[in-house]
Amino acid sequence: MYLFLLLLTLCFAVPLVRLMLYAAGADLHSHILLVPFVALYLLHDRRSTLPERGPAWTAGTLEFGAAGLAVTAAGLIWRSALSHNDYLALMALGYVALLAAGGCWFTGQHWMRAAAFPFAFLLFLVPLPDGAVNWLERASVVGSTDATEIYYRMFGTPYLRHGVVFELPTITLRVAQECSGIRSSWVLFITSTLAANMFLRTAWRRVALVAFVIPLGILRNGFRIFVLSELCIRIGPHMIDSALHHHGGPIFFALSLIPLFGLLWWLRRGESVSPSPAA
């Protein structure tokens, strides 16, 4: 297994190095640098619960192997027609699929099923395709604009809305795709997925925690826009160019962790409550 991992990584060395360099310079994909270490930690943490390696899982090997070869071939054949991001996405997906194929062959069905989440977590090595990013940004802009309007109504801020444009007492704001908050929402999604698997046992609680990220991300980004607009109204329009606007994302991301971990605590507490004994 270790020899296979080494040979496979050497075969993909060039695209993997390019992927890491790309992730280091791209805010949206900077999490990729941590994904292999998290997956290794998960495997190490669960080593005592993993079963003994069994006979080769032929069906799984063929399925993952065929998918990995097909995706890798597509990336190589259409490389000139793809963006750098989409090319790296196909190569990363091919690498993960072939790695899973090797796992099926060398460790067997029972071991792979027990280690399914650490292997699945490696999918976060794959950069989001350009088309998916554009769609998510547009959807987030619409949702964030609606959330911002809710905050204006709650706090009595006077405004006029024209689509994604707000006319405020001292400034006119347009919610652009650059303000969609997709990076924070994506990291929040990854965080919730990891936390759900590590700290929750029941499927519906895991799904509830991950699904909570969608409205949470929209409300967080709407709150960010609301705070910036309130500062522009009460202090001055120059606040739109303040450090809070350009570098305040981590602050609002940290604030969004409070309700996320609050829900995690509540869901985990529900699992720890023992049923009352029968009379």
Side-chain angles (χ1 to χ4, degrees):
M1 178 63 183
Y2 296 110
L3 179 60
F4 170 79
L5 175 60
L6 176 61
L7 293 175
L8 179 65
T9 303
L10 287 175
C11 290
F12 281 81
V14 174
L16 287 177
V17 170
R18 290 178 177 173
L19 174 63
M20 294 304 155
L21 292 174
Y22 175 65
D27 288 342
L28 178 59
H29 304 300
S30 58
H31 66 275
I32 287 175
L33 299 172
L34 297 176
V35 169
F37 300 101
V38 175
L40 287 173
Y41 167 77
L42 291 172
L43 280 175
H44 177 76
D45 184 60
R46 302 173 187 201
R47 66 190 184 283
S48 61
T49 63
L50 294 175
E52 294 293 329
R53 297 179 182 181
W57 183 15
T58 306
T61 302
L62 293 176
E63 291 173 4
F64 283 115
L69 291 174
V71 170
T72 303
L76 295 173
I77 294 172
W78 296 326
R79 179 177 180 181
S80 59
L82 295 170
S83 67
H84 186 56
N85 178 85
D86 288 356
Y87 164 72
L88 291 177
L90 286 177
M91 298 306 289
L93 183 59
Y95 175 77
V96 173
L98 290 173
L99 182 62
C104 292
W105 181 260
F106 290 105
T107 64
Q109 182 176 3
H110 297 297
W111 194 95
M112 281 297 292
R113 289 189 182 278
F117 183 78
F119 269 88
F121 192 80
L122 288 173
L123 288 173
F124 290 119
L125 279 173
V126 181
L128 286 173
D130 292 336
V133 172
N134 290 331
W135 184 86
L136 288 171
E137 285 182 342
R138 291 195 299 269
S140 181
V141 164
V142 174
S144 298
T145 305
D146 291 339
T148 303
E149 185 173 18
I150 292 173
Y151 289 121
Y152 287 154
R153 291 180 177 179
M154 287 175 57
F155 293 94
T157 303
Y159 72 94
L160 290 175
R161 177 180 174 180
H162 307 284
V164 296
V165 177
F166 289 107
E167 292 184 15
L168 302 169
T170 61
I171 194 172
T172 298
L173 292 178
R174 180 178 181 274
V175 183
Q177 283 191 221
E178 294 79 7
C179 302
S180 64
I182 182 177
R183 177 180 180 270
S184 296
S185 297
W186 186 234
V187 174
L188 202 63
F189 175 79
I190 296 174
T191 302
S192 67
T193 302
L194 185 61
N197 183 265
M198 292 182 67
F199 300 113
L200 298 175
R201 299 188 305 272
T202 52
W204 76 265
R205 287 183 171 87
R206 290 176 172 177
V207 172
L209 184 69
V210 176
F212 180 63
V213 167
I214 298 175
L216 178 60
I218 292 174
L219 290 173
R220 181 214 62 239
N221 204 46
F223 181 70
R224 176 172 175 264
I225 298 170
F226 167 74
V227 169
L228 288 170
S229 59
E230 283 292 306
L231 292 174
C232 290
I233 293 172
R234 301 181 185 281
I235 299 177
H238 64 278
M239 293 301 297
I240 198 65
D241 291 319
S242 65
L244 185 64
H245 183 194
H246 298 294
H247 307 290
I251 298 175
F252 292 96
F253 175 78
L255 289 175
S256 64
L257 291 178
I258 298 174
L260 179 67
F261 289 136
L263 178 61
L264 173 62
W265 172 83
W266 182 77
L267 292 172
R268 185 174 171 85
R269 182 171 177 268
E271 287 185 333
S272 64
V273 176
S274 301
S276 301

